[in-house]
């Protein structure tokens, strides 16, 4: 107390977002008794409630891309660190700081409501119960880290069962007044901001771009930052209002009349697929409305479940169903930002999910939109349906025409968030280089390139709604549910909630999940043998090099629609091919082994032998429905060694296909890694959902339940000769491969830039960046 608050502002032209950090330090309070554990539990309830309020505020007003309030015992700092952290738009930094401080002060001044105490206390118990249920399944590394942190902070280490029993006792005895006293103490540095006798923040820190994207200077200083925070901390605030949270989004009676499943799975998919489903323990059905459902009971993650809703389409749908450019990318984000289902508001639906610890993530890729749900399987302690049924109710509301409310403010946040993500990576060396490389390889194919700001700004809510509704046709979707659940009951619920959704009026008979896929169109390089050069300004001199060439897609389908095996044989008649080659998933497994072998060879040659890099990587593109793909070799190096590293990577890949083919030892090592990884991942709900995705779509004939059943057997059957002929089929000579060298750093006055020292080549400066070439944030 009595020490002035220290405010610091850091500005730099290479920063893309504004960030704000408000710190307060306090002594670590040891947890060695039940009373101390009870006090710590009260803090956790307060922090959970405040975080949800901040999240709801973020989704109401697009001031933040991230906001979080934390209280962590830090052995390294020798104190407990209380921090308010926020990222947002530099153009509205005053509003963002004021809103975050104001909401934190509201919690400190008035505390929780009675319903919040009950909800977040129950959620804490559910979380503790799941941890106890996992028991000895917890990873040793996680337990060791927890033990070290516990000992360092002088806490008493408890096993999950003991911790759960203590948490149950603490939550049962905590009262609203006691918890609100804890809230006031945690936020004292904000509630009593400016009081000379009160606890003060340790520091206020802001980091900001020097200018906005349009060149407008960002007007910020330590004095202004302190003034904005101080003003927000003294503004009048009102207590949080009680909000009715539904126990169910709908009643079971609303879906009681779902049509019966018209045909058995064996009739739909064939006897072999039905046998594979039984062997895998998967209950699969194709419903009357065309929706495909798969359910798998998996006990490894105790009391946890996962559900994936897959819609064929993604960025590919924008042209296929004649939608505006970027409508799928921004539409998927609008779905994530929204969440209002008549008659429930977005806030009510979000708190319905919070009560059940349901996590939802919407991702748009080149050929699909996926909605992933993670949830506890038992019903919440506050009452209502189970986590499985709650997730299926959400799926029903998303699919039901007219139930999901496409709100203008959700669309606005989605568009701004997309533009901020693009702006954040705008000066990325890796992103700019990959964008230039893919544009060279694939031409101006918008499915695989970033969406520009102008195209995003041109979108309307009607554009994204039209695009998403076309993909949300039940006949175009596939649903996988995996977890610690009753498979028969879950299948019954899935049939009821999904089967009762009608197809949209005027929907086409053939959907993207059934129709003929589109393809990539790889081009020869404009300047064979010469890399594209990309330079981005940065204070840190770095370099990255890439090699890319045409290849099959992840399932082994070429751009012309032929299977990889047909190319290797030179005919579509597979009757004389080895039996393993005739398996639908052979190419996918063989390509995974090629990828593993190539990675090991790059590490051995480029890093260990030539010592040109600390990281070299080979991977195939990951899309499955779009025909054709590419391979990508990436290598990081110093700017002086970038060209040498690029040449070393090219030589290594070519040698694999010619003078130094894979050996039996190479294959055995790759096979061990692939099989062991697959078997280990089979204990994961998420991995099962990923592997089941697409196995019932007609547009993916090579992806089947039989392939999942036979995966390890297929990997064992692949021979060295198989890998050698596949490597020879890849484009590796200078007339077909595309290369790029990306550099960053400051060019001194009078010093020639890197591109000036190289032969004349196509150049890109400040290209719109992307992430990994086959799984970019859209």
């Amino acid at each position: 107390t009595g020490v002035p608050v220290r405010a610091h502002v850091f500005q730099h032209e290479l920063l893309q977002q504004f960030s704000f950090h408000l710190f307060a330090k306090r002594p670590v309070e040891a947890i060695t008794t039940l009373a101390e554990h009870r006090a710590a539990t009260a803090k956790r309830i307060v922090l959970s409630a405040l975080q949800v309020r901040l999240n709801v505020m973020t989704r109401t007003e697009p001031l933040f891309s991230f906001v979080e309030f934390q209280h962590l015992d830090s052995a390294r700092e020798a104190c407990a660190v209380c921090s308010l952290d926020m990222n947002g738009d530099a153009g509205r930094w005053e509003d963002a700081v004021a809103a975050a401080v104001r909401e934190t002060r509201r919690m400190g001044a008035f505390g929780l409501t009675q319903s919040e105490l009950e909800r977040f206390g129950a959620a804490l118990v559910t979380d503790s119960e799941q941890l106890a249920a996992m028991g000895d399944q917890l990873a040793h590394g996680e337990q060791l880290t927890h033990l070290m942190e516990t000992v360092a902070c002088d806490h008493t280490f408890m096993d999950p069962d003991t911790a759960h029993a203590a948490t149950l006792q603490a939550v049962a005895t905590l009262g609203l007044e006691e918890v609100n006293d804890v809230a006031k103490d945690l936020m004292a540095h904000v509630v009593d901001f400016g009081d000379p006798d009160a606890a003060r923040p340790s520091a206020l820190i802001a980091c900001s771009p020097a200018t906005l994207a349009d060149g407008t200077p960002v007007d910020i200083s330590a004095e202004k930052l302190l003034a904005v925070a101080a003003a927000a901390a003294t503004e009048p605030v009102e207590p949080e209002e009680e909000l009715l949270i539904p126990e169910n989004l709908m009643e079971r009676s609303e879906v009681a009349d779902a049509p019966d499943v018209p045909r058995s799975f064996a009739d739909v998919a064939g006897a072999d697929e039905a046998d594979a489903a039984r062997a895998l323990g998967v209950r699969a059905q194709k419903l009357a409305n065309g929706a495909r459902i798969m359910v798998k009971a998996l006990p490894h993650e105790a009391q946890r479940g996962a559900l994936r809703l897959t819609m064929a389409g993604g960025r590919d749908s924008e042209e296929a169903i004649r939608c505006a450019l970027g409508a799928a990318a921004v539409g998927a984000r609008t779905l994530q930002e929204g969440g209002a289902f008549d008659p429930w508001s977005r806030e009510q639906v979000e708190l319905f999910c919070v009560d059940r610890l349901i996590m939802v993530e919407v991702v748009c890729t080149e050929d699909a939109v996926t909605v992933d749900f993670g949830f506890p399987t038992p019903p919440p302690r506050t009452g209502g349906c189970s986590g499985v049924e709650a997730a299926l109710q959400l799926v029903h509301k998303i699919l039901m025409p007219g139930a999901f409310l496409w709100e203008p403010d959700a669309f606005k946040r989605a568009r701004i968030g997309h533009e901020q993500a693009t702006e954040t990576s705008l000066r990325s060396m890796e992103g700019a280089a990959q964008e230039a490389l893919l544009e060279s390889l694939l031409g101006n194919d918008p499915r695989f390139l970033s969406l520009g700001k102008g195209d995003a700004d041109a979108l309307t809510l009607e554009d994204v709604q039209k695009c998403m509704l076309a993909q949300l046709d039940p006949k175009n979707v596939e649903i996988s549910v995996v977890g610690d659940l009753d498979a028969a009951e879950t299948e019954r619920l899935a049939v009821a909630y999904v089967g009762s959704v009608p197809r949209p009026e005027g929907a086409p008979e053939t959907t993207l999940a059934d129709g003929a896929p589109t393809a990539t169109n790889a081009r020869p390089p404009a300047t064979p043998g010469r890399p594209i050069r990309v330079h981005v300004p940065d204070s840190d001199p770095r370099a990255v090099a890439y090699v890319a060439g045409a290849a099959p897609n992840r399932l082994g389908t070429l751009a012309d629609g032929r299977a990889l095996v047909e190319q290797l044989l030179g005919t579509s008649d597979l009757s004389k091919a080895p039996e393993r080659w005739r398996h639908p998933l052979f190419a996918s497994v063989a390509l995974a082994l090629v990828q593993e072998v190539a990675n090991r060879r790059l590490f051995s040659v480029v890093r260990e032998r030539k010592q040109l890099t600390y990281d070299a990587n080979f991977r195939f593109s990951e899309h499955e429905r779009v025909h054709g793909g590419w391979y990508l070799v990436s290598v990081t190096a110093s700017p002086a060694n970038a060209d040498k590293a690029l040449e070393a990577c090219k030589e290594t890949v070519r040698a694999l296909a010619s003078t130094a083919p894979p050996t039996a030892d190479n294959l055995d090592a790759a096979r061990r890694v692939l099989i062991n990884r697959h078997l280990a991942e089979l204990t994961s709900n998420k991995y099962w959902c990923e592997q089941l995705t697409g196995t019932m779509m007609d547009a993916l004939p090579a992806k089947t339940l039989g392939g999942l059943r036979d995966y390890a057997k297929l990997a064992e059957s692949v021979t060295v000769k198989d890998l050698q002929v596949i490597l020879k089929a890849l484009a590796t000579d200078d007339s077909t491969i595309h290369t790029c060298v990306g550099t960053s750093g400051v060019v001194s006055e009078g010093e020639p830039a890197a591109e000036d020292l190289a032969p004349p080549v196509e150049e890109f400066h400040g290209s719109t960046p992307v992430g990994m070439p086959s799984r970019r944030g859209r």
Side-chain angles (χ1 to χ4, degrees):
T1 61
V3 178
V5 178
R6 294 174 294 174
H8 304 277
V9 173
F10 175 75
Q11 282 187 281
H12 196 278
E13 63 272 12
L14 296 182
L15 293 175
Q16 290 96 39
Q17 274 195 320
F18 171 81
S19 65
F20 170 74
H21 311 274
L22 174 61
F23 295 105
K25 295 182 178 181
R26 56 183 68 215
V28 173
E29 298 176 4
I31 304 173
T32 58
T33 66
L34 280 175
E36 290 165 344
H37 178 76
R38 187 168 175 273
T41 302
K43 288 180 184 177
R44 292 179 63 190
I45 292 174
V46 170
L47 293 170
S48 298
L50 177 58
Q51 187 60 54
V52 168
R53 288 190 190 181
L54 291 171
N55 290 344
V56 170
M57 180 179 64
T58 300
R59 289 160 66 89
T60 304
E61 174 63 32
L63 290 170
F64 317 101
S65 58
F66 167 83
V67 61
E68 182 178 50
F69 188 93
Q70 291 190 90
H71 179 273
L72 300 174
D73 292 337
S74 173
R76 185 178 62 182
E77 300 291 335
C79 65
V81 179
C82 208
S83 65
L84 174 63
D85 304 296
M86 176 264 292
N87 293 343
D89 181 5
R92 302 182 62 190
W93 72 265
E94 296 102 324
D95 295 335
V97 169
V101 170
R102 195 162 46 239
E103 196 58 44
T104 305
R105 183 168 178 267
R106 189 194 317 278
M107 175 61 77
F110 299 105
L112 288 71
T113 65
Q114 183 62 40
S115 63
E116 283 180 321
L117 173 61
E118 293 169 2
R119 289 201 313 273
F120 294 110
L124 199 61
V125 169
T126 300
D127 187 53
S128 172
E129 185 178 34
Q130 288 178 31
L131 196 64
M134 291 183 69
D136 57 5
Q137 295 176 6
L138 293 172
H140 293 171
E142 293 179 6
Q143 295 215 53
L144 180 60
T145 300
H146 176 49
L147 174 62
M148 293 169 64
E149 291 174 350
T150 299
V151 172
C153 294
D154 290 332
H155 300 326
T156 296
F157 180 79
M158 293 184 284
D159 64 80
D161 287 326
T162 305
H164 176 56
T167 301
L168 270 174
Q169 183 175 334
V171 170
T173 58
L174 283 170
L176 183 62
E177 184 177 350
E178 183 179 2
V179 172
N180 287 345
D181 287 341
V182 171
K184 184 173 183 179
D185 179 63
L186 272 177
M187 285 85 184
H189 58 288
V190 178
V191 174
D192 300 320
F193 193 91
D195 186 338
D197 297 323
R200 292 191 175 191
S202 303
L204 279 78
I205 299 173
C207 301
S208 170
T211 60
L212 301 179
D214 61 3
T216 305
V218 178
D219 184 14
I220 185 173
S221 64
E223 293 74 19
K224 284 190 175 183
L225 176 66
L226 193 56
V228 169
T234 55
E235 286 182 20
V237 290
E238 298 294 329
E240 187 79 1
E241 295 182 2
E242 288 278 8
L243 189 64
L244 173 65
I245 309 303
E247 290 189 353
N248 303 282
L249 292 178
M250 57 189 297
E251 298 300 328
R252 284 194 187 181
S253 58
E254 298 179 49
V255 296
D257 298 328
D260 293 332
V261 177
R263 295 188 293 164
S264 70
F265 182 61
D267 291 336
V268 172
D272 186 62
E273 280 294 273
D275 290 342
R278 282 191 292 271
L280 293 169
V282 174
R283 305 174 76 100
Q285 299 282 1
K286 187 171 183 179
L287 308 185
N289 58 5
R292 308 149 180 86
I293 61 169
M294 289 173 282
V295 178
K296 161 76 177 173
L298 192 71
H300 300 289
E301 296 182 48
Q303 298 186 10
R304 293 292 303 174
L307 183 153
R308 167 168 283 195
L309 167 64
T310 304
M311 299 162 258
R315 293 298 307 273
D316 181 54
S317 70
E318 293 168 4
E319 181 177 350
I321 56 180
R322 295 180 176 83
C323 294
L325 180 62
V330 178
R333 196 153 188 158
T334 303
L335 184 64
Q336 176 87 62
E337 291 290 340
F341 307 120
D342 191 38
W344 309 113
S345 69
R346 183 173 60 250
E347 289 79 8
Q348 288 173 306
V349 174
E350 181 163 353
L351 292 173
F352 170 84
C353 293
V354 168
D355 277 2
R356 289 155 181 78
L357 300 180
I358 297 175
M359 304 296 293
V360 185
E361 182 182 21
V362 184
V363 176
C364 177
T365 64
E366 295 89 348
D367 54 3
V369 174
T370 58
V371 186
D372 286 307
F373 300 84
F375 49 85
T377 48
R381 293 178 173 269
T382 51
C385 60
S386 68
V388 177
E389 188 167 359
L392 287 168
Q393 288 181 0
L394 288 165
V395 170
H396 176 93
K397 291 293 188 181
I398 291 172
L399 293 177
M400 177 64 74
F404 182 87
L405 303 181
W406 294 88
E407 302 167 305
D409 62 329
F411 167 66
K412 179 182 176 182
R413 289 193 305 275
R415 194 182 68 238
I416 291 174
H418 189 281
E419 291 175 358
Q420 286 179 344
T422 302
E423 176 68 18
T424 297
S425 57
L426 188 60
R427 299 164 187 172
S428 162
M429 175 187 68
E430 294 83 358
Q434 287 186 36
E435 183 84 349
L437 183 73
L438 286 183
E439 188 171 346
S440 173
L441 176 67
L442 302 174
N444 190 25
D445 190 334
R447 295 172 297 178
F448 306 101
L449 301 176
S450 296
L451 180 66
K453 185 178 186 302
D455 293 321
D457 286 341
L459 289 169
T460 65
L461 178 59
E462 291 71 25
D463 290 333
V464 302
Q465 185 175 354
K466 173 190 172 185
C467 185
M468 293 304 295
L469 289 179
Q471 296 176 75
L472 285 167
D473 179 352
K475 195 176 181 182
N476 190 54
V477 306
E478 184 182 71
I479 293 149
S480 306
V481 190
V482 181
D484 186 12
L485 44 78
D486 182 326
E489 172 65 9
T490 301
E491 182 184 36
R492 188 185 68 79
L493 290 172
V495 170
Y497 282 108
V498 180
S500 60
V501 178
R503 295 194 66 198
E505 291 185 12
E509 184 60 29
T510 301
T511 67
L512 293 171
D514 304 314
T518 58
T520 58
N521 182 23
R523 307 184 306 175
T527 53
R530 296 180 177 179
I532 301 165
R533 295 191 180 272
V534 177
H535 182 80
V536 295
D538 199 342
S539 55
D540 183 19
R542 297 183 300 125
V544 63
Y546 295 105
V547 181
N553 70 8
R554 187 170 179 266
L555 297 179
T557 306
L558 301 164
D560 59 9
R562 291 183 300 157
L564 175 62
V565 171
E566 293 176 4
Q567 182 192 34
L568 300 180
L569 289 172
T571 176
S572 59
D573 181 9
L574 306 185
S575 59
K576 296 182 179 179
E579 182 180 353
R580 63 183 181 279
W581 283 28
R582 296 198 296 269
H583 195 290
L585 204 66
F586 166 77
S588 178
V589 174
L591 288 170
L593 287 168
V594 167
Q595 180 172 291
E596 188 66 34
V597 168
N599 270 310
R600 288 170 173 264
R601 184 67 63 85
L602 284 167
F603 182 89
S604 172
V605 174
V606 185
R607 173 174 169 163
E608 297 298 308
R609 189 184 308 166
K610 298 193 175 183
Q611 298 184 352
L612 292 171
T613 181
Y614 52 86
D615 182 38
N617 181 272
F618 178 102
R619 67 175 58 195
F620 290 104
S621 54
E622 297 180 12
H623 55 268
E624 298 176 340
R625 193 173 57 82
V626 176
H627 288 170
W630 61 87
Y631 68 85
L632 179 79
V633 180
S634 58
V635 57
T636 55
S638 66
N641 286 331
D643 287 282
K644 294 178 183 178
L646 175 64
E647 289 302 318
C649 288
K650 289 164 59 178
E651 291 170 6
T652 302
V653 173
R654 285 174 184 155
L656 273 171
S658 55
T659 58
T663 65
D665 288 342
N666 295 151
L667 175 58
D668 288 342
R671 184 159 37 218
R672 274 196 306 273
V673 170
L674 197 68
I675 293 176
N676 290 340
R677 183 190 301 142
H678 173 70
L679 295 177
E681 291 281 11
L682 286 177
T683 61
S684 161
N685 296 336
K686 182 179 179 182
Y687 183 74
W688 268 97
C689 283
E690 291 171 350
Q691 297 307 303
L692 291 173
T693 298
T695 55
M696 291 185 66
M697 289 187 180
D698 293 343
L700 297 175
K703 192 168 187 181
T704 62
L705 292 173
L708 180 56
R709 174 197 59 194
D710 301 335
Y711 190 92
K713 180 181 175 182
L714 270 173
E716 291 285 3
S717 71
V718 175
T719 67
V720 173
K721 184 67 175 178
D722 294 337
L723 300 192
Q724 292 172 355
V725 295
I726 290 173
L727 281 162
K728 288 180 180 179
L730 297 181
T732 58
D733 60 90
D734 278 340
S735 64
T736 57
I737 64 170
H738 296 249
T739 58
C740 180
V741 174
T743 55
S744 68
V746 178
V747 179
S748 303
E749 187 175 349
E751 179 185 344
E755 57 267 25
D756 295 330
L757 300 176
V761 292
E762 188 175 5
E763 296 180 10
F764 292 79
H765 289 264
S767 301
T768 304
V770 296
M772 288 310 299
S774 59
R775 281 293 180 268
R776 291 184 300 280
R778 299 295 184 200

